[in-house]
Every structure is written in C-alpha cells, then in structure tokens.
Amino acid sequence: MEKLSLLLLSAAALCLSVQGCSDSKKEEQAQSKDKAAEQKLFIYNWTYYIPDQVVKDFEKAYNVKVVYDMYASNEEMFTKLKAGGGGYDLVFPSGDYVSIMIKENMLEPIDKNKVPNFVNIDPAVLKKINFDAGNKYSVPYMMGAAGVAVNTKEVPAGFEKSWALFNRDDLKGRMTMLDDMREVLGAALKSLGYSVNTTNLEELKQAKELVKQWKSKIVKFDAETFAKGFAAGEFWVVQGYAENIFLELDEEGKKHVEFFIPKEGSAMYMDSMVLLKNAKNKELSYTFMNYIHKPEVYAQIADFLMLPSINIPARDIRTVKPNYEISDLERSEFKEDLGDTIKDYNQTWQEIIVGE
C-alpha cells in the first residue's frame, strides 16, 4: 500500500509538471503573439501621399509590418476616428484638424527626445505654425498650397500672377476653382489683403462678393476632376494643387504649363504626423516619425510629390525640381481652426454656391 501511494504521488507530480509545462508553453506563445502584434504599425494617411518604397524600406530596416490605410479628406478621417474605427497609431491631419483633435483630447503629446531628426525641420517653417504652437502634439510632414495652373498654349504670355486672373472676361468659360470653401474664400480674403483665418464678418462679406464675381467667369467649382480637365485642354486656368495637376500631364504637356502661387498669397496647408492617445504602438510610431525626417528618406518623399522640402538637409540631395519653393509661400498662411466662426463661413459658402 505504501509503495502504491508513492507511485500515485509520483504520477500526480508528473501530471502537474506536464500541466505546468503546457501552461508555460501556452503563456510563451501568448507572449510571442503579443510581441508580434507590437511590431505592427497602423498608419492612416492621405491617398498617394508617400512612396510605397519608403514604407517597404522602413519595414525591412526595422523588421516590422506597416498596416497602411488611406483617406481623401480631413472630414473622412476625423469622422472615422470619432466613431472609434481603425485602431490606428499614426495619423496625418492638416493643421486646422490638428488643433481640433487637440481640443477633443485625441492626441498624445510628442516626446521630441524620441524624434531626434526633428532638428532637420526648417525653423522658419515652425515659426509659422499657430495650430500647434511649439509642436507639442505634431511633427510636420509636408507643406504646400493651392495655386494656379495656366495653359500657356492658350493664354498669352504676360498674364498677371494673381488671383485677379479669375476675373478676366476673355477667359470666361475656360476656368475652374476648387470646390473647397476654405481654399476659395481664402484666395478672396488674401486678394483683399485679409487673413485666410479672419473672424471679421465684414471682411468675410467682402470676400463673398469677390468670389461671386469669379463664379460668373468660371465653369464650375471642382475639387475632383480639375486636373484631368486641364490636362485634356478643356480648361485653360485652374485653381488646384500642383501635385494633382502634373500627375495628369505627360512630358510634352508639362512644357506648356505655368504653375504659380499668386502674389497675394494663398491658404497654405501643413499636414503633420500625430500620435493618437489610444495608440498601441507608440515606440514604433516614434521610430517611424524619426525615420521620415532622415534627410535621404525625406528627399525621396519630396521628389515623389514634387513639393518643397521643409527638411533642410534633404534640400541638398533632392533629384527632382519642386513645382514651387518655400520662398513662394512667403505671403501665404496656414489654415487654422475657425472655432464658432466656421458656421458663418459655411453659410457664406452656401450663399455663393446656391445663390442668395
């Protein structure tokens, strides 16, 4: 009986040992899965806003996987995030939405010690930023502005590089402006010598009257097909983004285009990288932000978009001439969050579109 008891005890101990090993193995597997999950970076960015090769190179350099989703507007991005969708780590909102997301307590403060390449960003550019003064919540990604493209085969040389071009009777029926409230009203406000972020209702009223004049000369407000229409020769003068316009042109077509930022200035944008408060992969997010501002990486992105480089060292290693330089944006302003005045802008825009 005593030997039998010892045998039973030994068997029980062996069983517990085997069970313990099994539990330990399961725990290791679970930890391994968690670790693998931590090596995925979830990014939400604008459509076609970074070369695929940059993302692939990052994945290879750090042995990680980037899950990359795209959006077409700040509104689309914001609505999805507020609804709890996505599970993203990094997002690329424009300046006015950076400030909105800060107010909504959606963002994690940036630890610049973890983004040492932040020092490569032009201080003159940083000084222009009011939507996140001191960049407490954002790392600038790309800066630009809507300008004007002119078909020089159809429009005689010597035209004024001004928003006043949209008031020319001889170009009536051959022009388009963006279907974008802030861009069009911003152009009118700059033409009148006012800020694109004015909250003065009298200034806004004057801008409305100017836009109504432009409306009588243009074919339509169009933010989707303006570049294709311009490339096809249907429109001779369009307000739009250079990166969209030149993407639609072949090499011969590019020879007959002059793109400029009007002398009065424009509504400027800064798209920035922000870290969501509920991000699961914060350290990897910092690694990505820092990677983007490596000079050789940023030069690759600027060349792809043909936009000015806000990364100073990258300017010396670009291989593609940008469609305009930062100096051309001297009189332009970043769009800011308008607060409650946005309701007056919306009403003004509706009165322009549908008529009073």
Side-chain angles (χ1 to χ4, degrees):
M1 284 291 295
E2 192 173 354
K3 285 183 179 180
L4 182 60
S5 296
L6 287 171
L7 284 170
L8 289 171
L9 285 170
S10 296
L14 180 61
C15 181
L16 287 171
S17 176
V18 170
Q19 180 65 39
C21 289
S22 177
D23 289 345
S24 177
K25 190 171 183 180
K26 287 179 181 178
E27 187 177 344
E28 285 178 9
Q29 289 174 340
Q31 289 176 348
S32 178
K33 286 182 180 178
D34 287 343
K35 188 174 181 181
E38 289 171 1
Q39 295 307 304
K40 278 187 179 180
L41 180 63
F42 293 83
I43 294 178
Y44 200 24
N45 196 359
W46 294 86
T47 306
Y48 307 123
Y49 209 30
I50 192 169
D52 290 341
Q53 193 60 48
V54 168
V55 176
K56 291 176 182 177
D57 289 346
F58 177 78
E59 290 177 320
K60 184 177 180 180
Y62 296 95
N63 192 28
V64 297
K65 172 67 177 175
V66 173
V67 179
Y68 190 94
D69 289 344
M70 296 177 284
Y71 54 88
S73 70
N74 282 298
E75 291 78 12
E76 178 187 343
M77 172 273 298
F78 185 75
T79 300
K80 183 174 182 177
L81 294 182
K82 288 297 286 183
Y88 301 108
D89 301 306
L90 278 176
V91 186
F92 291 64
S94 299
D96 50 341
Y97 270 80
V98 170
S99 61
I100 291 171
M101 293 169 80
I102 292 171
K103 290 176 183 176
E104 292 288 322
N105 197 32
M106 297 169 69
L107 306 182
E108 183 81 8
I110 296 293
D111 182 352
K112 292 197 186 75
N113 292 322
K114 295 181 179 180
V115 193
N117 286 332
F118 192 95
V119 299
N120 293 332
I121 302 174
D122 191 338
V125 169
L126 297 176
K127 285 180 182 177
K128 282 179 170 279
I129 294 175
N130 293 318
F131 57 80
D132 177 24
N135 292 97
K136 296 176 183 177
Y137 293 89
S138 62
V139 175
Y141 175 65
M142 196 61 61
M143 182 174 87
V148 179
V150 177
N151 183 334
T152 56
K153 288 177 67 176
E154 304 293 347
V155 181
F159 55 83
E160 188 179 11
K161 294 182 180 179
S162 164
W163 291 115
L165 201 59
F166 289 99
N167 228 358
R168 279 179 45 169
D169 289 322
D170 60 321
L171 298 176
K172 184 175 181 178
R174 290 293 187 174
M175 303 185 290
T176 69
M177 298 191 80
L178 290 169
D179 185 8
D180 186 303
M181 174 183 75
R182 293 298 304 274
E183 292 291 356
V184 176
L185 285 172
L189 287 164
K190 293 302 288 184
S191 294
L192 296 165
Y194 303 138
S195 168
V196 301
N197 302 304
T198 187
T199 56
N200 183 309
L201 298 187
E202 177 55 35
E203 293 175 356
L204 187 58
K205 182 179 178 182
Q206 292 177 39
K208 179 182 75 171
E209 295 306 314
L210 179 55
V211 174
K212 286 168 66 177
Q213 291 179 35
W214 293 344
K215 183 185 176 185
S216 69
K217 309 291 171 58
I218 67 174
V219 178
K220 58 181 175 177
F221 293 109
D222 177 15
E224 295 183 4
T225 62
F226 67 91
K228 291 184 182 297
F230 182 80
E234 182 181 356
F235 312 128
W236 299 347
V237 178
V238 296
Q239 178 194 25
Y241 302 102
E243 53 269 37
N244 295 100
I245 292 163
F246 284 94
L247 186 66
E248 297 292 340
L249 296 164
D250 58 23
E251 291 306 311
E252 180 60 28
K254 291 175 184 177
K255 295 177 183 177
H256 306 289
V257 177
E258 184 161 359
F259 182 90
F260 61 89
I261 304 297
K263 64 182 183 180
E264 302 93 341
S266 185
M268 195 162 59
Y269 64 83
M270 173 71 82
D271 296 323
S272 299
M273 296 178 280
V274 298
L275 182 59
L276 294 177
K277 188 171 282 289
N278 59 356
K280 295 180 181 177
N281 303 292
K282 293 179 180 177
E283 293 306 313
L284 192 53
S285 297
Y286 278 118
T287 301
F288 185 84
M289 288 188 277
N290 195 55
Y291 181 80
I292 288 298
H293 276 290
K294 291 177 67 174
E296 63 273 23
V297 174
Y298 196 86
Q300 190 178 350
I301 299 169
D303 282 347
F304 173 72
L305 295 171
M306 298 177 70
L307 286 173
S309 172
I310 62 170
N311 182 304
I312 293 178
R315 293 172 188 168
D316 295 328
I317 54 178
R318 290 177 298 182
T319 59
V320 177
K321 187 180 185 303
N323 291 312
Y324 52 91
E325 290 286 7
I326 287 178
S327 57
D328 296 317
L329 300 171
E330 186 177 357
R331 301 196 67 183
S332 298
E333 294 176 89
F334 287 127
K335 289 175 282 188
E336 309 283 356
D337 175 18
L338 296 168
D340 289 340
T341 312
I342 190 66
K343 292 181 291 187
D344 298 296
Y345 274 73
N346 286 330
Q347 182 180 340
T348 297
W349 185 243
Q350 282 302 306
E351 291 171 354
I352 291 169
I353 297 299
V354 302
E356 293 181 90

